[in-house]
Amino acid sequence: MAFAVARTRDEAQLYLELHPCPDCGSIETPWEHGLIEADGGLAISYAGTCPGCAAEREYLFGLPARETRVNGWPTFGGSEPSELLDAGQWMAVADRAAAAVPSEPVEAGRVLAVARAAVDEVVKFVPAGQDAVPEDEFWTPEGQAVRDADPGRFRLDRLLVVRDTYHDLVRETGAR
């Protein structure tokens, strides 16, 4: 069995935050991670005990074909699109971050950096020569709901404007 690839630790951590404990809803699980052998190959295991209800939790992720060079924070992945989150889920991450920008400049820069990086992840779903994210890149109900609310947000020209605006706002805060 092949596992969806976690391209970076930041991407795996975000995935875990977006998947709270199914028993109690907590996202506070202290995760331990490492390489394990699973289904005849190597995988990355994130395992922990939920502090809210003591449920044992574990997620297994595939290894990327090549290591993604970390280039600042956050680094969600390389040039390939995510296998963990669909295009609509990435847009939802950007929306949540942009809606929660604090007034303190350094922290505002960090939150806007997440929004910028999440939109950059959406852009990776646009195939070369195309002008929008294809419908099959929304494979979760959450992602499909974001797309259905405003499909025009997934046009490449709009995505690039939003990403560049977040980038400019990050620079204005003095953060990198």
Side-chain angles (χ1 to χ4, degrees), residues 77-155:
S79 60
E80 69 286 342
S82 178
E83 294 181 17
L84 297 181
L85 303 176
D86 73 17
Q89 289 175 298
W90 281 111
M91 186 63 79
V93 168
D95 292 346
R96 278 193 297 277
V101 177
S103 58
E104 196 277 316
V106 172
E107 200 52 38
R110 287 182 61 78
V111 172
L112 286 165
V114 170
R116 175 195 63 209
V119 174
D120 201 34
E121 290 301 320
V122 178
V123 170
K124 294 175 187 179
F125 285 98
V126 179
Q130 301 280 325
D131 63 355
V133 176
E135 280 193 36
D136 62 348
E137 298 297 357
F138 303 89
W139 62 80
T140 65
E142 300 85 5
Q144 292 166 355
V146 174
R147 182 206 54 219
D148 292 347
D150 187 357
R153 296 180 72 199
F154 295 93
R155 289 192 343 250

